[in-house]
Amino acid sequence: MTTSPPTSEPSWKAWLTSDKPQSRMQARFGRAYNIWQRFAENRLALVGLALLIGLLFVAAFADLLAPHSPVQGDLRNARLLPPGSAGYLLGTDDQGRDILSRLIHGSRLTLFVVALVAMIAAPVGLIVGTIAGYAGGWIDAVLMRITDIFLAFPKLVLALALVAALGPGIENAVLAIAITSWPPYARIARAETLTFRNSDFIASVQLMGASPLRVVLSHIVPLCLSSVIVRVTLDMAGIILTAAGLGFLGLGAQPPLPEWGAMIASGRRFILDQWWVAAMPGFAILFVSLGFNLLGDGLRDALDPKEAGQ
């Protein structure tokens, strides 16, 4: 009786895990697959990813998911109703507006703030840090002293000062948070650049005639991306809290926009008797911040093989 040979792993998996890639594309897909495997080993990171995907889904289909209008309420019949009331799962606020609908639409503002801050602060910090680390000398000294000036002020205090000067509003709040968020990324990028500034492959590129700008953009910046991405993900919770703090003080999104920090501010007057008005947006901020922290922790382990092997 003949025995069938053991089944081998799928061809696509063998192609991804090959230690001798035949093309640059295969090498990139193989590295991405290895990163995903290390990431998937962290169950809490998967929970964070699920929370983030849920936030994206809610923001994308807010118009379909929200049972009521986020800005129009019913003062006569639906003011300060508790959670579980007919048609109002999370209750209503002092204007008779459905809190669940406001939270759902507020997720769009949260993603708007997070995405814009990341798109502004991360590239600025990455470019400043890599240029400072690669150039050295007086360029490094000037750029790092500017970075130290921004780091000397607490982020929320500096953001408050900038928003007070620019005027209240969600756009000015995003700009203020971005201006105060780039220095840590510059520090990380500079430290990464200093580790391989004098490496052999950088010297080879220089001998081939590459300009300093090409060396920085094409060879150094990609090597710093993983560390910056991890730091950006971990900072998302702080960005959300800063935006909520500005909204709480009336300097962020203005009424009637359903911004979570502004919702907490409007509900603090009813915190003893109608606790849900302030508690529900607080829980939303808590879960989203937790999701970003768990995701960032998983990315840190997945993108750092030394950390993953411990």
Side-chain angles (χ1 to χ4, degrees), residues 193-206 223:
T193 303
L194 290 176
T195 59
F196 43 73
R197 179 178 62 179
N198 298 319
S199 301
D200 292 339
F201 74 95
I202 296 295
S204 301
V205 173
Q206 292 171 339
L223 294 174

Side-chain angles (χ1 to χ4, degrees), residues 80-130:
L80 295 175
L81 292 179
S85 301
Y88 302 101
L89 183 61
L90 299 182
T92 60
D93 61 7
D94 59 318
Q95 300 297 318
R97 297 171 297 196
D98 180 38
I99 293 178
L100 176 60
S101 299
R102 289 179 63 78
L103 291 179
I104 291 174
H105 282 272
S107 63
R108 290 182 172 179
L109 289 176
T110 299
L111 288 177
F112 172 78
V113 172
V114 166
L116 278 187
V117 170
M119 291 171 59
I120 296 173
V124 170
L126 186 61
I127 295 299
V128 170
T130 51

